[in-house]
Structure formats: structure tokens, C-alpha cells
Amino acid sequence: MYFAALLARTEDGWEASDTELDDVETLSDLADLAREASPDEDTVLVLIEQEDAWFGVVRVDGEEDPRIYVSDAAAAARSSYGEILLTDELLGREPGDDDDLDALDLDGTEDGESDDDEDGGDGSGAAAGSAEAVPHGPVGDAEILDDLGMSEKELRSMSGDAVGEIAEALGALDVLEAVR
């Protein structure tokens, strides 16, 4: 189960809104959605959480490039919403370097078996190659919330209801709970 919310920092405090990500296909779409939540170019946080698996924070400050933090890249990579956040830049890959597709064994077998399984050939090497492309554990800007009162150490140590913990640390738990 997913939960996604926008927290917009205004001169009156934080404003929260839940959001649907069904029409969001790219990080650029997500940044545009965040910017729409704050016409005054204030800081907007997009908080995305998949229950007990991973969470992500995208920070948009006006027209600046979004800053991203993902708690577990490997878990997020298995999610359509997580894939939006896991950009080539975030993962340290060259843009367009899609090793994942090249690593797939498309020899026509449907059971996950390949002709090379007996000798440990290409099938096992492909799995290892794609696992290296997306690291287990956190990726991105762990200092994304430092100036808002949440340290890198606090962010990295979160588990459970991370979105709620972040909102509480920012003083925005009440407005977040109102949209949850």
C-alpha cells in the first residue's frame, strides 16, 4: 500500500495535500506537481511511502532541480513510484545507460529457465549485473531536510511510519494527518 502527500511550506506554516501519482511518469512530472502546490515558489516536499518497504522524499525549491532521498533503492526499484525517483543521476549512471534491459535474458523461455542454467552461464550473471545497478539501502541527498530541522542521521535511521516521523519533526504532523 502506498501513501503520497505534498507538504508545502508557506509563510503561515505547512500545508498538506494528498496526491495521486497515477498520472506521474517522470521526475519532471512530479516536480511540476509539487510546484503547482505552491504558487509562491516555496519549498514543497513530496513524501512517498510504501508500507514497511521504503520511503522517498523529493524536495522542490522554486525552479531549482528537485533533490531526492530514497530509503532503500532496491525496494523502490520494484515499485512503479520508486522508479520515478531512481534517476540515472541518483544511481550514479550515465543517462540512457539502461543495463537492466540489456541484462534480461530474452531467449524465449518463460519459466525463468535458460539454456545456460546448468553451467551457471548468462542467467546468473544477468541477475548479478542488475542487482549492482540499484544498491540496497539509501541513495540520494540525506541532508535534504537538514535546514528544516531533521538531520541526516535521523533521516537514515527511520523505519515504520517514516512519513509521519518526518512530518512530526517538521511540525506538520497535524496537517498531514488531516489528509491521510
Side-chain angles (χ1 to χ4, degrees):
M1 177 174 202
Y2 291 94
F3 176 72
L6 297 173
L7 284 178
R9 186 177 185 185
T10 68
E11 59 186 43
D12 298 327
W14 290 98
E15 293 180 9
S17 57
D18 64 340
T19 188
E20 280 294 321
L21 299 178
D22 293 341
D23 296 331
V24 174
E25 295 181 10
T26 66
L27 181 59
S28 187
D29 293 343
L30 189 60
D32 290 344
L33 182 70
R35 288 183 183 105
E36 289 171 12
S38 178
D40 296 331
E41 295 190 5
D42 294 315
T43 297
V44 179
L45 301 176
V46 181
L47 305 174
I48 302 172
E49 181 175 64
Q50 182 182 6
E51 194 172 294
D52 296 329
W54 67 275
F55 70 91
V57 179
V58 178
R59 179 176 177 160
V60 178
D61 294 300
E63 292 300 317
E64 293 181 27
D65 288 340
R67 295 168 56 194
I68 306 165
Y69 175 81
V70 176
S71 66
D72 185 338
R78 294 186 295 270
S79 152
S80 59
Y81 298 135
E83 287 179 346
I84 293 168
L85 306 181
L86 297 174
T87 63
D88 288 335
E89 182 180 340
L90 190 70
L91 297 173
R93 298 188 299 214
E94 290 296 319
D97 184 16
D98 243 346
D99 288 336
D100 293 343
L101 290 178
D102 295 336
L104 291 176
D105 186 9
L106 302 174
D107 66 354
T109 59
E110 293 183 15
D111 298 329
E113 302 172 358
S114 75
D115 298 334
D116 299 321
D117 277 352
E118 293 170 7
D119 62 8
D122 296 336
S124 60
S130 58
E132 290 173 16
V134 180
H136 289 277
V139 295
D141 184 355
E143 297 174 352
I144 193 169
L145 301 173
D146 274 3
D147 64 325
L148 300 175
M150 175 167 273
S151 72
E152 174 181 350
K153 183 179 179 183
E154 291 171 305
L155 189 62
R156 287 185 184 272
S157 67
M158 290 195 165
S159 62
D161 180 20
V163 168
E165 290 179 43
I166 291 169
E168 184 174 16
L170 301 177
L173 185 58
D174 291 341
V175 294
L176 178 70
E177 289 300 324
V179 300
R180 214 179 235 201

